[in-house]
Amino acid sequence: MKIGLLSDTHSFLDDAVFYHFDGCDEVWHAGDFGNREVADKLAAFKPFRGVYGNIDGTDIRQSYPENSRFTCEEMDVWMTHIGGYPGKYAPAVKTEIQSNPPKLFISGHSHILKVQYDPRLQLLHLNPGAAGKQGWHKVRTLMRFDIIGDRVENMEVIELVGR
């Protein structure tokens, strides 16, 4: 399963997303869509999963959960917007992640791209950075990867041109 992952679009969806995710089987958004139009365009493009972020309004929150835990291939995945990262998980997820860790933990919010393995919980943490133009980040980023069985393979970071 080839996955396209993005976050923190903040109401701006670059057309390049559709080019870079064209060969993907699914697209996942880790919150802060910014508006309904972003979510609708992504959902019309490919099979789609998303979670709401702290800036998202009622329209997004009625359609997308705060946390999404699901299985992709044989991979236990947990996606949330404010999740923290290994060694500094957010209080809202810390207890659950420590007692029942997924194999793949995805969050957004920080606008900082991260790929970090947590050896204590034996999980891979991904944060795709920010694909939108609002925020302090200097480079807009996306991620693309394969889930094969219970493994993440062929991880790619994509930098979008311009800010």
Side-chain angles (χ1 to χ4, degrees):
M1 178 83 66
K2 185 171 278 303
I3 306 300
L5 176 63
L6 72 165
S7 184
D8 295 277
T9 45
H10 291 261
S11 301
F12 176 78
L13 187 58
D14 194 314
D15 289 338
V17 168
F18 300 102
Y19 169 78
H20 291 295
F21 289 173
D22 188 52
C24 293
D25 299 303
E26 290 187 1
V27 174
W28 301 350
H29 193 296
D32 277 2
F33 292 93
N35 65 32
R36 185 69 199 207
E37 183 180 356
V38 168
D40 290 348
K41 282 182 179 179
L42 290 169
F45 174 60
K46 294 281 180 176
F48 181 68
R49 297 177 189 266
V51 293
Y52 72 75
N54 56 296
I55 71 155
D56 292 320
T58 305
D59 57 339
I60 298 292
R61 290 171 189 241
Q62 289 176 339
S63 299
Y64 298 96
E66 179 178 13
N67 297 290
S68 180
R69 187 135 187 197
F70 56 93
T71 301
C72 180
E73 295 281 323
E74 298 165 30
M75 176 77 67
D76 179 11
V77 181
W78 183 358
M79 184 166 54
T80 192
H81 184 62
I82 302 176
Y85 53 88
K88 193 164 172 120
Y89 293 110
V93 302
K94 189 173 187 174
T95 300
E96 176 69 17
I97 206 165
Q98 289 177 339
S99 66
N100 185 22
K103 295 303 267 180
L104 179 60
F105 181 63
I106 298 169
S107 63
H109 187 62
S110 69
H111 294 217
I112 300 170
L113 184 129
K114 279 192 182 202
V115 177
Q116 188 175 359
Y117 185 70
D118 184 335
R120 192 170 66 79
L121 298 179
Q122 298 183 356
L123 67 81
L124 179 63
H125 166 66
L126 302 180
N127 184 322
K133 292 186 173 185
Q134 290 185 5
W136 58 270
H137 58 282
K138 302 286 185 211
V139 178
R140 296 181 301 118
T141 53
L142 312 170
M143 297 176 108
R144 194 169 51 199
F145 55 91
D146 296 331
I147 295 180
I148 301 171
D150 65 351
R151 299 179 324 276
V152 172
E153 296 189 7
N154 305 314
M155 176 71 64
E156 299 173 275
V157 171
I158 301 160
E159 294 184 354
L160 300 175
V161 177
R163 166 99 164 94

